[in-house]
Amino acid sequence: MTLRVVPPSKTFTVHSSLLFDPKKKAFRKNISIEVDRDTGSITNVYERDNEDDLRLQIYAGDIDLRGAGKCVLPGLVDSHTHVFLHSYTDRPSIEQMRDASALERIIRATSHVRAALLAGFTTYRDLGTEALGNADAQLRDCINRGLVPGPRMFVATDALASNGSYEIRRENKSLSGSGGLIVPRASDPCDGVDGVRAGVRRRVGDGADIIKFYADYRRKVMRFPGPGTSNTSNQPILFPPDDPRRRNPAVPLFGQDEMDAIVREAKLAELPVAAHAGETKAALMAARAGVTTVEHMFEDSNGLLDETLEEMKRQGTIWVPTLATVESAAPQFMEDCLAAVRKAVKVGVRVATGGDTGVIDHGLNARELELFVKAGIPIEEVLEMATVGGWEACGGELTGYRFGWWEKGCRADIIALDADPREDEKALRKVGFVMKDGKVWKRDGRAVDMITVPEFPPSMDN
């Protein structure tokens, strides 16, 4: 290898020995990627032959990611995140929303987006601030202005929910309807066809890239409030229903006409729609409405899984199963969820990977992909779901960008693993290099340029 100093070029080249191509769902050898340093986009992708590789010249500014054990991937997409939440094992979400200061949550979020970027996730689909209004849109803008490092963010601001359905519960309410404990608003409440249309318009006005609504939720918690649940009494209910699922099941928040109206209004604004659905019943309604994605779908109490998957396939609905959250918060559903993912892939439902990250710590995003592999999905399929699938979940062409694969005009989001994911099941934890939009944020396993130190201006020289 020789190094020749030349004048700065508008482009530089990233060379790889082993590279994953999501469009081909295959690992390829000796691929080079030319990047425009001004636009942060890919200008050319070409394959070198072995003879050329032996006498390859690396010019100043080029990046050499060749070598045994290295594997180059497009930057990964986490298709379901909450940057203003951290691990529920550290502090329950209800306490984070109710008790943590806005400043603490914002400072934590700046750490979360750095951790995600260094873990190789160059795009975040953030589905609700959880009681911080449109702070996610403002954080997105700070990242886009270069004020803080982080993934490319597509945000939902507040999720839509029917009145009294997704809110911070408390027993300390005044009997007269005034006074009592004041808590932050956890969603944008709206009812009826006209009401949900207005709700979508409010989200658009607040800067949302994605419209999210709760198709269902466990909204009847106050019928049998458990000890310590949502700031209620520590005294338990003496004789709750024997079946825990009957105490507070996930039930629909909107009728079919309301879900249809949400999707129609979002389409007018040319925005994708994400539907939270814990149960297949609400997921089926959301798929019929034409949502872009269904999130979660942990339970199938009504035996509707096959019908729901068929409708999702017919509609082109993307499923984001959030397996990492099942493992962390609802492990009793894990085997059923793994089986459902296998079935969905087998019947041809489009799937994207997103961990509901925030329930688990940011920076541990790769766990979602590992669980897909545990479900028996080939690594090539999983990596495609985490790249091209993520782009589609974010809205595809509606995002205004192309990312997640190798093609002229795509964003130059490039990461390198220090292991081959076909051979090392923990390879996705071993991210040694990260580039987003043509800018390097991690090299040789170390963060670079995370803090910009200002230079003294000439006016201060005297």
Side-chain angles (χ1 to χ4, degrees):
M1 182 182 72
T2 59
L3 179 65
R4 188 175 68 188
V5 178
V6 296
S9 170
K10 184 182 178 183
T11 64
F12 62 90
T13 304
V14 179
H15 301 288
S16 69
S17 295
L18 179 67
L19 171 144
F20 177 71
D21 186 333
K23 290 287 189 176
K24 297 180 182 294
K25 296 183 183 178
F27 289 86
R28 301 173 61 190
K29 293 183 178 180
N30 300 335
I31 303 296
S32 292
I33 306 150
E34 291 182 0
V35 176
D36 187 316
R37 66 177 73 250
D38 293 333
T39 65
S41 62
I42 295 172
T43 59
N44 190 25
V45 181
Y46 62 90
E47 184 174 352
R48 311 181 308 275
D49 60 37
N50 289 331
E51 185 176 345
D52 287 342
D53 208 45
L54 291 174
R55 56 175 184 267
L56 179 66
Q57 289 188 323
I58 306 297
Y59 297 100
D62 286 354
I63 296 171
D64 191 0
L65 297 178
R66 297 176 301 161
K70 285 190 179 296
C71 181
V72 173
L73 311 173
L76 300 172
V77 182
D78 191 324
S79 292
H80 192 129
T81 70
H82 296 280
V83 294
F84 294 101
L85 293 177
H86 60 279
S87 173
Y88 291 8
T89 59
D90 179 47
R91 193 174 194 185
S93 61
I94 191 74
E95 292 184 11
Q96 295 182 50
M97 291 190 286
R98 186 190 64 219
D99 302 331
S101 71
L103 183 57
E104 177 188 334
R105 296 184 69 194
I106 290 167
I107 290 174
R108 283 183 179 273
T110 62
S111 297
H112 296 161
V113 293
R114 285 187 177 94
L117 184 61
L118 294 177
F121 285 78
T122 53
T123 301
Y124 252 29
R125 181 173 174 258
D126 203 64
L127 295 183
T129 61
E130 307 294 327
L132 272 183
N134 72 332
D136 52 357
Q138 297 163 356
L139 178 59
R140 172 201 63 198
D141 296 344
C142 287
I143 292 172
N144 290 344
R145 289 168 176 148
L147 301 179
V148 62
R152 179 180 305 106
M153 287 182 63
F154 299 97
V155 305
T157 65
D158 280 328
L160 304 181
S162 56
N163 268 287
S165 298
Y166 187 75
E167 60 183 31
I168 299 171
R169 310 291 187 176
R170 74 277 190 200
E171 291 187 9
N172 183 9
K173 289 184 176 181
S174 170
L175 293 179
S176 64
S178 61
L181 180 66
I182 305 299
V183 296
R185 192 184 78 173
S187 63
D188 185 349
C190 48
D191 300 290
V193 169
D194 290 341
V196 298
R197 290 177 63 197
V200 171
R201 293 175 182 180
R202 286 193 295 271
R203 296 305 95 229
V204 176
D206 256 1
D209 306 293
I210 300 159
I211 302 302
K212 178 187 175 181
F213 72 93
Y214 281 87
D216 68 11
Y217 201 70
R218 299 180 181 278
R219 56 177 165 144
K220 297 189 287 186
V221 66
M222 300 309 286
R223 293 184 67 222
F224 305 104
T229 300
S230 305
N231 200 37
T232 61
S233 171
N234 286 326
Q235 192 69 30
I237 301 297
L238 295 180
F239 304 109
D242 292 334
D243 183 355
R245 296 190 181 189
R246 297 271 53 86
R247 297 175 195 174
N248 185 23
V251 295
L253 270 59
F254 296 105
Q256 191 67 60
D257 59 340
E258 293 170 304
M259 293 190 195
D260 293 348
I262 290 171
V263 173
R264 284 199 304 270
E265 190 64 35
K267 284 184 177 179
L268 287 178
E270 299 184 354
L271 293 180
V273 181
H276 168 112
E279 281 271 10
T280 51
K281 180 179 179 180
L284 179 57
M285 295 172 67
R288 286 172 175 163
V291 298
T292 310
T293 66
V294 165
E295 315 296 312
H296 314 302
M297 206 164 71
F298 300 154
E299 299 181 67
D300 184 28
S301 300
N302 297 285
L304 295 172
L305 178 62
D306 290 346
E307 184 181 353
T308 302
L309 293 179
E310 185 59 37
E311 182 67 15
M312 291 173 72
K313 179 182 178 181
R314 189 179 73 82
Q315 294 275 7
T317 309
I318 303 168
W319 183 22
V320 185
T322 63
L323 296 177
T325 285
V326 181
E327 179 184 54
S328 173
Q332 69 272 24
F333 300 129
M334 194 69 206
E335 290 306 315
D336 288 344
C337 288
L338 293 176
V341 167
R342 285 193 294 269
K343 178 177 283 191
V345 172
K346 183 176 181 180
V347 302
V349 173
R350 186 56 161 137
V351 180
T353 59
D356 203 357
T357 310
V359 176
I360 65 168
D361 278 328
H362 299 269
L364 306 182
N365 314 64
R367 183 56 181 162
E368 181 73 10
L369 281 66
E370 293 175 354
L371 290 171
F372 269 76
V373 173
K374 183 178 179 180
I377 312 302
I379 186 64
E380 292 85 355
E381 296 284 344
V382 175
L383 292 175
E384 193 273 344
M385 295 170 184
T387 49
V388 178
W391 175 73
E392 293 175 3
C394 289
E397 296 291 353
L398 294 178
T399 66
Y401 303 94
R402 291 187 174 186
F403 51 87
W405 70 96
W406 313 114
E407 187 177 287
K408 181 179 179 180
C410 285
R411 305 310 302 159
D413 300 343
I414 303 172
I415 70 171
L417 310 178
D418 291 332
D420 187 334
R422 296 170 298 180
E423 300 171 357
D424 184 345
E425 63 182 11
K426 297 296 189 288
L428 290 163
R429 303 182 183 190
K430 302 172 183 177
V431 178
F433 176 89
V434 176
M435 173 189 292
K436 176 193 157 212
D437 291 326
K439 179 175 174 57
V440 177
W441 292 104
K442 190 176 188 180
R443 191 193 298 268
D444 298 325
R446 296 179 178 273
V448 295
D449 291 341
M450 281 285 163
I451 299 176
T452 302
V453 179
E455 297 182 0
F456 286 95
S459 60
M460 292 185 179
D461 287 345
N462 297 328

